[in-house]
Amino acid sequence: LTGAPESNPVAVSGPQNLAYVIYTSGSTGQPKGVMVRHAGAVNLGAAIGPVLAIGADRRLLQFASLSFDASAWEILTALLSGAALVMSAADRLLPGRDLAAVMRAHEVSHATLPPTALAAMAEEDLGPCGTLVVAGEACSGELVRRWSRGRRMLNAYGPTEATVCATISDPLAGDETPPIGRPIANVQVYVLDGDLQPVPVGVAGELHIAGVGLARGYLHRPDLTAERFIPNPYGAAAGERMYRTGDLVRYLPDGAIEYLGRLDDQVKVRGFRIELGEIEAALAAIPEVRAAVALAREDQPGDKRLVAYVVMDAAPGEGSEGASARLRGALLKSLPEYMVPSHFVVLDELPLTANGKVDRTKLPAPDVTRGEAAAYVAPRDATEEIVAGIWSAVLRLDRVGVHDNFFALGGHSLLATQVISKLRAAFAIEVSLRALFEAPTVAELSARLAALRAADAAAAPPPIERVARDDQALPVSYAQQRLWFLDQLEPGNPFYNIAGAVRLRGALDVEALRATLTEIVRRHEVLRTRFDAIDGMPVQVIEPEGFPALATTDLSGLPAEERERRAQALALEEARTPFDLTKGPLIRGTVLRMSDHDHLMLLTVHHIVSDGWSMAVLFGEIGALYGAYVAGRSSPLPEPAVQYADFAGWQRRYLSGAVLDRQVSYWKEQLSDAPELLALPTDRPRPSAPSYRGAHLGLAIPAPLAEALRGLSRRAGATLFMTLAAAFNVLLWRYSGQRDICLGTPIANRTRSEIEGLIGFFVNTLVLRTHVDHDAEFLSLLDQVRQTALEAYAHQDVPFEHLVEVLEPVRHLSHSPLFQVMLVLQNAPMEAVALPGLELRPLAIESGTSKFDLTVSLT
């Protein structure tokens, strides 16, 4: 090339110039180029040689590949001490017999190996190798015990950003988990808290490194460099920096440092923050464990589990379940239950990367047959088998053991209601929701069921059976009766419309959608029901016809912005258009065509024939039927065994006489002398009659707070709803100054298995009364709310409408009776709806109305 030098140019390098750039993995998946200085590289070789007693007569193994920074440790230590560097082909350095043969053949005196490589060496003869250094990963006491006999063994630690090595231990012995030692020459280390303050001996903190070995930073990453290489407040000179390692460590009494794990290895499982390194250290302390890795896996979306992978000496004839039980038992002696892995995978060896570290991407998924951390014990009798089967179905687990805890497996009060209804159907006895809270394992609940059956504690309510569909008037349910009366007072009121809107992107088959909705209305009589009055009381009239004509409106010809505005206006207009209860059906649908592959489906139902759970049923059936019709198949759905009219008749028969009296007596006592009104501070006086005008404010609870709430709930033996209700009561007390608070909350009220798949107005409203004591601890309040909620669940059959009639509270048009503030936790089983060729996205419709003074609705 023209102008190119004809000889090698002379370069003068100083301590601050770059020696090399080496890439290391990043937490975001983007590799980081670490800029290592000559000062750090020279200091590394000069400092390590004397520590390891390396001279010209020694032979060092070159084990690390050149793409791994440990290779600089090996090369520079050999060069600066005059020792020989033993190199070999990569396939001859595989941990095990081949590597041992190389070390013997070349009389290697010093070798640096990662713990996983040593674990794979078994009891191989390493020849004259008198010094072993372990580095790169946490080392177990078992490896120290095995490999320190007859030789010097040290534990080295250091990130790439500190030029390979920052600390090294004294010679190791025994079987204790080894420390990472003290800093090497010209390196300073600090164990600091989140405010960069030193922590006392024995207290965990983040390790920070400063000194000659510090790299210049990350190549072309000034933002990341500034984040990790921060000013050193303890430096002797201005401008000194230190590196935040992200490693959790602590000082031992003798001044050595113990490695605990990665800060970014903190995982959150079932609401608990967990250090994977702490689990690995506890596993490594078990004598028979040679190597261990812990992971938090989410092989099924939303189902995160702790999994441990171990290489261990198994007992003769011991299977994987026996080994898992032994490991679990050992860990329970040193770790809390929530940190004990759900699964243990015993391997012959851990998969390694080319650099000799554990290749976590190649660790196999466990055999997921259950979700609890306790040892699996199969059902031992017919009762336990039935209960475990019900839990498996409701919680969607492959199997459930007799000692598994329902709530630790992810159960909550709504799922508990399903379990109770299935238990009643299976055993033909009355089981309270409280029973599941008090006996949350299969074994405990089965014993409780046996006692109930033996004592015949309560007679099971009669089954729901079909009533004749002749000319006789069909009764309405209590809930329907109340909405009918409200409609009589204010005809044309849209406040009880349930409006849904879904954006459909893709090729929509409108005829298949119309057929789908028609079939749903045919299947569910309540959707083609209207209401007449006989002697001033409502009755149900079921019409034979199906879904009304599916309205379609073409907006594709409008400009884009106008098209969106028009669609929003039509959706709001549809949501606010009232139904005439005397004319059915009380469901209607509209499709807005935005373009050939973009539609909006508006679906509106009156609350008198539907509720939140019913909307989940409705959209689930839309998914099943539309997919079948597009493919030219018939309906895959079985016919409902009973209909809503059958439930209404059953409710009228069952909730009467002594049964109703027992339930009502509880509420009379619970709500005796309850406050008439919750006096929230408002910026305007309360009007004589409500306008129902309102607005919706959306917000998100941060994920760490939500997980902390779930963790608190589990530790307190409460559901998430109970914890939220207790916190909400505190908030209401602080704003109102009122200690006696009545809070309304809806409950699915589907306590019978026959009605789980029905569309209809089943939801009931419960009144939860709480006495807030400002001197008490929050956990005391939570326990009160828990007890109140459980008692309310046990008496949930009394319809709120009937309760108002019986209690006869002072009525004012200006506010609702018994409560004015509602708390809702939406955990109805809404499955993701998939329609072939379509992408679905729900749209929120702001109706501008509010039924109560304040409603907090959480999803």
Side-chain angles (χ1 to χ4, degrees):
L1 297 176
T2 304
E6 296 181 0
S7 61
N8 289 334
V10 176
V12 179
S13 297
Q16 304 308 317
N17 290 117
L18 291 184
Y20 59 84
V21 174
I22 190 165
Y23 282 83
T24 183
S25 61
S27 59
T28 62
Q30 180 181 1
K32 304 170 294 187
V34 181
M35 300 184 290
V36 178
R37 302 175 301 148
H38 280 276
V42 172
N43 186 73
L44 173 69
I48 294 303
V51 173
L52 301 185
I54 299 176
D57 61 339
R58 300 300 179 184
R59 304 171 72 85
L60 273 69
L61 176 68
Q62 175 72 42
F63 175 79
S65 70
L66 293 178
S67 62
F68 187 40
D69 67 345
S71 63
W73 155 291
E74 296 162 328
I75 295 170
L76 292 171
T77 301
L79 287 177
L80 292 178
S81 62
L85 188 67
V86 175
M87 308 183 75
S88 184
D91 59 354
R92 298 190 61 196
L93 294 177
L94 295 176
R97 187 172 302 171
D98 291 340
L99 174 58
V102 169
M103 295 178 66
R104 290 194 303 271
H106 294 278
E107 299 183 336
V108 170
S109 63
H110 291 70
T112 300
L113 299 172
T116 46
L118 271 182
M121 298 286 284
E123 298 290 346
E124 299 289 349
D125 178 14
L126 301 186
C129 181
T131 302
L132 270 179
V133 180
V134 286
E137 293 172 333
C139 180
S140 70
E142 165 64 13
L143 284 178
V144 173
R145 181 185 61 80
R146 178 176 297 178
W147 291 103
S148 63
R149 291 194 298 265
R151 62 172 59 90
R152 294 178 75 226
M153 186 175 184
L154 302 96
N155 188 25
Y157 160 87
T160 305
E161 291 83 348
T163 313
V164 188
C165 181
T167 67
I168 193 165
S169 73
D170 295 328
L172 304 172
D175 55 5
E176 297 292 328
T177 301
I180 59 175
R182 298 171 176 81
I184 65 173
N186 302 313
V187 172
Q188 297 86 48
V189 297
Y190 309 92
V191 183
L192 307 176
D193 63 16
D195 296 322
L196 300 183
Q197 297 298 311
V199 300
V201 172
V203 176
E206 184 179 6
L207 182 63
H208 295 67
I209 302 175
V212 174
L214 209 61
R216 183 183 293 178
Y218 298 109
L219 183 64
H220 305 314
R221 298 289 300 276
D223 55 338
L224 189 58
T225 298
E227 176 186 340
R228 306 302 294 184
F229 293 81
I230 63 176
N232 182 2
Y234 307 100
E240 287 191 26
R241 294 181 302 161
M242 61 182 180
Y243 173 67
R244 298 179 55 187
T245 65
D247 288 328
L248 194 68
V249 300
R250 65 183 174 191
Y251 275 116
L252 297 175
D254 63 357
I257 297 172
E258 181 183 23
Y259 177 84
L260 299 175
R262 286 287 298 168
L263 286 174
D264 55 12
D265 272 348
Q266 274 190 348
V267 296
K268 285 162 265 181
V269 179
R270 302 207 312 249
F272 294 101
R273 292 183 179 275
I274 296 171
E275 289 286 351
L276 294 177
E278 192 172 349
I279 299 175
E280 292 172 350
L283 284 166
I286 300 173
E288 56 265 46
V289 173
R290 288 188 275 137
V293 173
L295 290 181
R297 300 186 64 112
E298 195 169 351
D299 296 300
Q300 297 181 8
D303 185 15
K304 184 180 288 186
R305 305 175 184 218
L306 288 174
V307 182
Y309 298 87
V310 296
V311 178
M312 63 181 294
D313 299 323
E318 182 179 51
S320 60
E321 288 200 5
S324 298
R326 190 151 52 94
L327 292 171
R328 182 175 288 109
L331 290 184
L332 283 171
K333 296 177 181 178
S334 58
L335 297 176
E337 180 274 333
Y338 64 84
M339 290 185 65
V340 177
S342 301
H343 304 282
F344 294 85
V345 180
V346 180
L347 302 174
D348 293 332
E349 59 183 17
L350 296 175
L352 305 180
T353 65
N355 296 329
K357 289 192 173 184
V358 175
D359 190 346
R360 296 171 185 260
T361 64
K362 292 183 179 178
L363 292 170
D367 179 14
V368 181
T369 56
R370 51 192 307 280
E372 168 67 346
Y376 174 75
V377 177
R380 298 160 295 189
D381 55 37
T383 300
E384 289 184 346
E385 187 172 351
I386 293 172
V387 173
I390 290 173
W391 286 23
S392 297
V394 171
L395 296 170
R396 299 185 178 182
L397 296 173
D398 292 337
R399 68 179 185 179
V400 173
V402 299
H403 299 307
D404 292 347
N405 185 294
F406 178 79
F407 299 100
L409 293 176
H412 51 70
S413 57
L414 189 61
L415 294 177
T417 300
Q418 294 186 48
V419 168
I420 293 302
S421 69
K422 294 180 185 300
L423 289 173
R424 288 171 179 163
F427 295 101
I429 58 174
E430 187 68 16
V431 186
S432 68
L433 193 58
R434 176 185 287 273
L436 182 52
F437 276 84
E438 294 177 345
T441 69
V442 171
E444 293 170 333
L445 187 58
S446 297
R448 183 72 62 91
L449 290 171
L452 286 174
R453 296 172 71 185
D456 194 20
I464 300 176
E465 298 176 342
R466 288 186 64 86
V467 299
R469 302 296 197 271
D470 48 26
D471 293 336
Q472 67 177 356
L474 296 173
V476 298
S477 68
Y478 287 108
Q480 287 181 322
Q481 180 175 310
R482 177 170 179 265
L483 287 196
W484 183 85
F485 275 120
L486 291 175
D487 187 76
Q488 297 299 299
L489 292 174
E490 294 184 74
N493 188 333
F495 302 144
Y496 287 95
N497 285 4
I498 302 176
V502 180
R503 191 130 200 172
L504 305 170
R505 296 190 185 275
L508 174 64
D509 188 333
V510 177
E511 290 305 315
L513 180 60
R514 179 179 288 111
T516 293
L517 296 174
T518 299
E519 172 63 9
I520 291 173
V521 174
R522 184 202 67 78
R523 287 171 44 78
H524 298 276
E525 291 178 348
V526 72
L527 296 179
R528 42 191 169 90
T529 295
R530 61 182 181 85
F531 297 85
D532 278 346
I534 298 178
D535 298 328
M537 296 297 292
V539 294
Q540 296 190 62
V541 179
I542 301 172
E543 298 289 349
E545 295 298 323
F547 191 76
L550 182 65
T552 57
T553 301
D554 192 348
L555 304 178
S556 61
L558 299 175
E561 292 187 4
E562 175 61 23
R563 185 164 62 237
E564 294 296 332
R565 282 196 299 270
R566 180 60 178 155
Q568 288 291 334
L570 288 175
L572 183 57
E573 178 184 344
E574 166 61 28
R576 291 179 174 177
T577 301
F579 286 97
D580 184 347
L581 300 189
T582 64
K583 298 178 181 178
L586 301 178
I587 179 174
R588 56 176 179 258
T590 301
V591 173
L592 306 180
R593 181 174 181 269
M594 311 294 282
S595 68
D596 288 345
H597 292 84
D598 185 8
H599 297 79
L600 282 179
M601 179 177 70
L602 310 178
L603 205 58
T604 309
V605 188
H606 196 283
H607 199 1
I608 202 170
V609 297
S610 185
D611 56 20
W613 185 308
S614 296
M615 296 305 289
V617 174
L618 175 64
F619 278 96
E621 293 198 356
I622 287 176
L625 292 169
Y626 180 87
Y629 291 159
V630 166
R633 302 191 304 270
S634 58
S635 168
L637 300 176
E639 287 295 303
V642 294
Q643 294 283 344
Y644 186 81
D646 305 316
F647 164 78
W650 173 88
Q651 185 188 57
R652 293 284 181 173
R653 294 191 307 272
Y654 171 61
L655 281 179
S656 61
V659 173
L660 184 59
D661 291 342
R662 283 196 301 270
Q663 297 245 348
V664 168
S665 63
Y666 162 78
W667 290 107
K668 284 183 176 180
E669 180 180 352
Q670 176 70 9
L671 300 178
S672 175
D673 299 323
E676 175 187 328
L677 182 68
L678 179 62
L680 291 176
T682 58
D683 55 359
R684 294 179 178 85
R686 182 182 296 276
S688 59
S691 66
Y692 297 107
R693 289 193 303 271
H696 175 268
L697 175 65
L699 56 87
I701 296 179
L705 175 56
E707 290 163 358
L709 286 168
R710 294 189 183 97
L712 172 61
S713 303
R714 294 189 185 97
R715 293 192 296 274
T719 64
L720 178 60
F721 170 79
M722 295 169 183
T723 302
L724 293 169
F728 192 32
N729 272 292
V730 173
L731 187 71
L732 294 173
W733 161 65
R734 288 182 175 174
Y735 274 93
S736 68
Q738 192 169 316
R739 297 186 181 183
D740 192 352
I741 298 172
C742 289
L743 191 64
T745 187
I747 189 167
N749 201 33
R750 296 186 183 236
T751 59
R752 308 287 305 180
S753 59
E754 306 99 305
I755 60 178
E756 286 182 7
L758 280 187
I759 293 174
F761 186 16
F762 297 97
V763 67
N764 195 15
T765 301
L766 302 181
V767 184
L768 304 181
R769 187 179 183 183
T770 303
H771 297 273
V772 180
D773 180 358
H774 68 280
D775 293 326
E777 295 182 347
F778 178 77
L779 289 178
S780 175
L781 177 67
L782 176 53
D783 185 63
Q784 179 194 158
V785 171
R786 176 182 178 273
Q787 295 297 327
T788 301
L790 289 175
E791 291 172 359
Y793 296 157
H795 299 87
Q796 64 176 285
D797 290 332
V798 180
F800 177 78
E801 300 74 23
H802 184 73
L803 193 60
V804 174
E805 293 178 12
V806 172
L807 296 180
E808 297 182 337
V810 177
R811 301 299 295 269
H812 290 281
L813 292 177
S814 62
H815 61 78
S816 60
L818 300 184
F819 71 89
Q820 296 79 45
V821 174
M822 175 168 276
L823 177 65
V824 184
L825 179 60
Q826 296 283 6
N827 54 4
M830 177 72 79
E831 300 292 341
V833 179
L835 303 183
L838 291 171
E839 175 189 340
L840 278 68
R841 182 166 59 88
L843 297 180
I845 301 175
E846 177 55 73
S847 63
T849 62
S850 178
K851 299 182 182 71
F852 302 101
D853 288 4
L854 176 66
T855 299
V856 175
S857 180
L858 300 116
T859 301

